[in-house]
């Protein structure tokens, strides 16, 4: 079965491509390399010891997408391609709506034209806004607090409407919590541009000496130690969730919406300590102001994923930090500088 992976050169996409191929799927990667390096594909090819067909193109360009479907009979699409920087989305909302929302709509149109009606979409825990309680269940109220989050909610709604209009579609919406870590080989991982927005890459860059210290955004939240609590999930566990979803997609008779998280919450200070243990390096930090838009606590109730996808996150916080450190220490500049 040929699976089209949009955004397959990116962080989560590249890890998922490895697992898909290991599970016996044939994979075509579609990416415009806006936030990815071709080196990630070369590294994936090394891990799986085979070459991957990569089509360079943009979601919003119908002809780029058509060229994929003309050449290959695609049975399902795993749709990772999108922009994900929350802060940038506030400054440039139209860029986000165009890329993430319009891009997804064009993708669905072209899929339907070629009678490919099976899609797994990368949604996010951000669609729960500031949840009234935790752990978070899939039927909690939805509320986005920034254009990035709204773009995810809009695509969820678009896909639900697509299903209402034609219930032969097979649609799974996967809501990720906080993906971290890297493939155990240490050869692929997260490679943020510039100063990282997210906690784990910032901690990793501090440990490796690229950043002087980490700013801990607030220590006065109503949490175990006052710092923000999140559900960090190993990217390989997350990738496995996609393989399980794909294995089952044909059996589902409605749009499936599933949380992919571990069900456990760790604070910023706990993450710093876990990373120090894994790396044997000191992570200098200073307590700073709260970051606008942040919430105190966010973690999943992952029981529905177990029930419908037979999936459960398996890797511990120590493994997340060890694998993240292996990637960071072996590739202090990520994929940059490699031609
Ligand atoms: P990423 O930026 O590493 O990967 C996204 C990929 O999509 C990149 O390779 C980029 O070049 C490509 N892309 C972007 N716009 C495109 C377009 N118009 N046409 C073709 N390719 C395009 O991000 P990631 O962390 O791997 O995230 C994958 C998906 O998961 C995204 O949709 C993201 O919003 C979602 N998600 C990520 C997180 C997270 O914390 N990483 C959390 C929840 C949801
Ligand atoms: N944090 C710091 N210092 C930093 C970065 C983060 O203290 O330099 C703290 C934050 O305040 C928060 C925690 O670390 O308490 C996690 O922050 P991240 O930025 O790593 O993750 P978020 O939970 O804020 O958001 C991430 C993605 C969103 C996504 C969401 C849920 O950035 O796009 O997870 O999946 F929607």
């Amino acid at each position: 079965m040929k699976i089209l992976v949009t955004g397959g050169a990116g962080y989560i996409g590249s890890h998922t491509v490895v697992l898909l191929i290991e599970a016996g799927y044939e994979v075509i990667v579609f990416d415009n390399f806006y936030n990815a390096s071709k080196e990630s594909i070369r590294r994936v090819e090394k891990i799986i010891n085979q070459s991957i067909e990569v089509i360079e193109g943009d979601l919003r360009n119908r002809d780029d997408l058509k060229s994929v479907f003309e050449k290959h009979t695609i049975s399902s699409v795993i749709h990772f391609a999108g922009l994900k920087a929350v802060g940038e989305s506030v400054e440039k909302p139209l860029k986000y709506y165009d890329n993430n929302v319009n891009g997804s709509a064009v993708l669905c149109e072209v899929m339907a034209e070629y009678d490919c009606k099976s899609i797994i979409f990368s949604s996010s825990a951000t669609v729960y806004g500031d949840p009234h309680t935790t752990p978070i269940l899939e039927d909690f109220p939805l509320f986005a607090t920034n254009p990035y989050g709204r773009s995810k909610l809009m695509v969820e709604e678009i896909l639900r409407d697509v299903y209402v209009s034609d219930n032969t579609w097979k649609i799974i919406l996967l809501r990720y919590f906080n993906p971290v870590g890297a493939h155990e080989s240490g050869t692929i991982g997260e490679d943020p541009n510039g100063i990282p927005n997210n906690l784990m890459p910032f901690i990793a860059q501090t440990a490796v000496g690229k950043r002087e210290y980490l700013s801990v955004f607030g220590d006065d939240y109503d949490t175990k130690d006052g710092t923000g609590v999140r559900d960090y999930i190993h990217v390989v566990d997350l990738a496995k969730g996609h393989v399980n979803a794909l294995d089952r997609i044909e059996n589902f008779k409605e749009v499936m919406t599933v949380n992919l998280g571990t069900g456990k919450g760790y604070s910023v200070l706990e993450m710093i300590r876990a990373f120090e243990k894994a790396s044997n390096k000191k992570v200098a930090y200073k307590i700073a102001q709260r970051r606008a838009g942040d919430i105190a606590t966010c973690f999943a109730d992952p029981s529905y994923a177990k029930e419908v996808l037979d999936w459960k996150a398996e890797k511990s916080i120590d493994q997340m930090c060890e694998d993240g450190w292996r990637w960071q220490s072996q590739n202090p500049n990520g994929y940059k500088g490699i031609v």
Side-chain angles (χ1 to χ4, degrees):
M1 285 216 288
K2 279 192 189 169
I3 310 303
L4 178 65
V5 181
T6 76
Y11 173 45
I12 307 171
S14 57
H15 289 80
T16 305
V17 168
V18 170
L19 267 70
L20 286 169
I21 292 173
E22 286 173 352
Y25 288 102
E26 206 177 323
V27 169
I28 315 290
V29 167
F30 182 84
D31 204 300
N32 65 0
F33 294 94
Y34 180 81
N35 195 36
S37 157
K38 290 183 180 151
E39 179 64 14
S40 75
I41 299 290
R42 286 197 283 270
R43 304 269 183 105
V44 167
E45 289 177 331
K46 266 200 174 160
I47 295 172
I48 54 165
N49 200 21
Q50 68 181 69
S51 61
I52 298 167
E53 175 152 0
V54 179
I55 297 177
E56 188 166 347
D58 193 292
L59 279 179
R60 296 159 296 177
N61 184 323
R62 239 167 261 271
D63 292 336
D64 286 356
L65 281 171
K66 280 186 175 185
S67 71
V68 179
F69 288 89
E70 285 292 337
K71 192 168 170 202
H72 300 281
T73 304
I74 303 289
S75 47
S76 281
V77 176
I78 305 188
H79 178 30
F80 292 108
L83 302 176
K84 61 168 183 178
V86 174
E88 187 193 43
S89 81
V90 176
E91 284 158 28
K92 299 177 181 163
L94 298 176
K95 177 175 173 180
Y96 276 67
Y97 292 127
D98 181 38
N99 196 81
N100 294 3
V101 182
N102 178 35
S104 300
V106 173
L107 172 66
C108 291
E109 272 183 357
V110 175
M111 286 173 67
E113 205 177 312
Y114 289 86
D115 204 31
C116 170
K117 297 183 182 175
S118 168
I119 185 167
I120 296 174
F121 173 62
S122 300
S123 188
S124 165
T126 196
V127 300
Y128 297 112
D130 192 354
H132 58 285
T133 183
T134 45
I136 299 171
L137 281 158
E138 286 83 353
D139 63 358
F140 273 25
L142 302 177
F143 181 71
T145 55
N146 55 67
Y148 165 70
R150 266 186 285 283
S151 78
K152 290 288 163 194
L153 260 185
M154 285 177 190
V155 177
E156 285 199 3
E157 295 294 355
I158 288 170
L159 289 170
R160 287 193 196 94
D161 286 341
V162 164
Y163 179 80
V164 170
S165 73
D166 174 355
N167 66 14
T168 64
W169 276 80
K170 301 287 179 184
I171 298 172
I172 304 182
L173 312 173
L174 296 177
R175 293 182 180 150
Y176 315 152
F177 282 68
N178 291 54
V180 297
H183 187 264
E184 61 176 8
S185 65
T187 59
I188 56 171
E190 188 171 12
D191 182 21
N193 273 324
I195 302 170
N197 297 310
N198 298 115
L199 180 66
M200 274 296 270
F202 206 109
I203 290 183
Q205 291 193 7
T206 309
V208 87
K210 283 184 78 177
R211 312 269 159 216
E212 204 184 329
Y213 64 89
L214 166 82
S215 295
V216 174
F217 297 143
D219 67 349
D220 56 353
Y221 286 105
D222 184 14
T223 59
K224 45 189 145 187
D225 58 22
T227 66
V229 167
R230 296 291 183 275
D231 186 337
Y232 297 95
I233 173 169
H234 196 297
V235 66
V236 172
D237 274 337
L238 189 68
K240 180 74 172 50
H242 293 74
V243 176
N244 283 27
L246 192 59
D247 289 344
R248 290 160 182 77
I249 195 164
E250 276 307 310
N251 306 335
F252 296 131
K253 303 224 162 8
E254 58 193 70
V255 177
M256 301 298 287
T257 306
V258 187
N259 285 341
L260 294 184
T262 65
K264 293 189 199 83
Y266 288 93
S267 73
V268 175
L269 296 181
E270 285 175 326
M271 291 306 286
I272 294 173
R273 280 194 289 274
F275 206 90
E276 286 182 332
K277 187 174 134 205
S279 63
N280 208 17
K281 298 274 178 197
K282 193 90 197 116
V283 176
Y285 71 87
K286 291 184 186 172
I287 304 297
Q289 297 259 317
R290 288 183 179 193
R291 182 171 66 179
D294 269 359
I295 57 175
T297 304
C298 174
F299 60 94
D301 182 329
S303 45
Y304 192 56
K306 177 72 189 147
E307 183 189 328
V308 295
L309 302 181
D310 191 24
W311 173 90
K312 188 167 157 292
E314 280 162 4
K315 293 180 185 285
S316 67
I317 207 76
D318 291 339
Q319 284 169 294
M320 298 179 211
C321 294
E322 281 159 22
D323 292 339
W325 174 243
R326 195 174 301 109
W327 156 252
Q328 182 67 62
S329 53
Q330 289 177 12
N331 308 271
N333 297 314
Y335 299 117
K336 289 168 199 78
I338 299 159
V339 258

